[in-house]
Amino acid sequence: WIKLFNYFNNIRPDIIFIHNYQLIPAIIYKLIFSKKLIYIDHWNANTQKLKKNFIALFIKFFIEKIIVLNKDNYNFYKNKIKINKSKIFLVPNGIDTKYYLNNSIKKRNKIFKIGMATRLDGIEKIPDLVFEALNTDLLKKYKINFYLAGDGKRRNFIKEKIKNYNLKNSCTLNGYLKENDLKNWYKNLDLYVHPTLGEAMSISILQAMSMNLPILASNVSGVNNIIGKKKYLGMLFENNEMTDTLFQKT
């Protein structure tokens, strides 16, 4: 906090954009120098509720403008936290669809390749569900490989999960991928899966959609506003029913 405050003090910004972290030093800087703060909310309103409610109180009294990525988060600040709607702006995520473009026709392979791209940090993303599904008798008889792109604090935990489920030969941790490598990673997949407890708005899902991949994703806030609305935009599953849904899609 002290290091960040000193950084603000040295460059003296008139406006600070905050992305879900380091809220306190930014507020202290605002109060001392009468500057403006804009908060960009990347959390889903329905996950980590205690933490989000606590932070929302600071946002209500110290933030000039709030940018949210989905309607649920907009309603959270407007209806629950009682923030004036003139301070809240709904700005969905976007991607470069010209870059994430795949016109090639994928050849059928003996191995069905599924993948998920995510940060391995927070508790919201639950690739564990894929491991559980692949370990069931229903799916063991199929040749399915799971590729997980991304890195973070939970990487070792995920590695241990793969080991415990005896899935070393069918699950690959690809780690952090640069944009061109990520694009090629998508091209290698037959199906994109995204088990999660909630999203603000998933960039990975948007990238997979742009790459013309079929998508299976959790029926949760921040996902069901873009997936499942029409048949060609993917299929939703309840988190306790992933095995059956994956079996149907496979």
Side-chain angles (χ1 to χ4, degrees), residues 92-191:
N93 274 332
I95 63 165
D96 184 353
T97 55
K98 291 182 179 179
Y99 182 81
Y100 286 98
L101 183 65
N102 183 19
N103 292 322
S104 61
I105 299 175
K106 188 172 175 57
K107 297 179 180 179
R108 292 187 66 87
N109 198 299
K110 291 181 179 180
I111 299 175
F112 192 75
K113 298 177 180 180
I114 65 176
M116 179 181 182
T118 182
R119 292 190 186 96
L120 303 181
D121 283 323
I123 62 171
E124 294 90 353
K125 312 301 188 300
I126 40 178
D128 321 36
L129 290 185
V130 181
F131 307 144
E132 293 174 12
L134 294 180
N135 199 47
T136 60
D137 292 335
L138 187 62
L139 294 180
K140 276 182 178 179
K141 57 186 176 182
Y142 295 97
K143 293 182 178 179
I144 304 173
N145 281 3
F146 177 49
Y147 300 88
L148 184 58
D151 211 345
K153 298 175 184 176
R154 298 181 74 232
R155 180 181 174 87
N156 288 335
F157 172 80
I158 295 297
K159 285 179 68 174
E160 195 64 26
K161 281 276 187 178
I162 292 172
K163 181 180 177 181
N164 291 341
Y165 282 114
N166 196 27
L167 294 172
K168 284 186 176 181
N169 294 327
S170 57
C171 292
T172 302
L173 295 181
N174 299 105
Y176 171 78
L177 299 177
K178 294 182 179 179
E179 197 164 32
N180 189 58
D181 294 329
L182 183 62
K183 180 180 177 181
N184 291 327
W185 179 87
Y186 281 116
K187 283 183 177 181
N188 192 47
L189 300 180
D190 297 301
L191 173 70

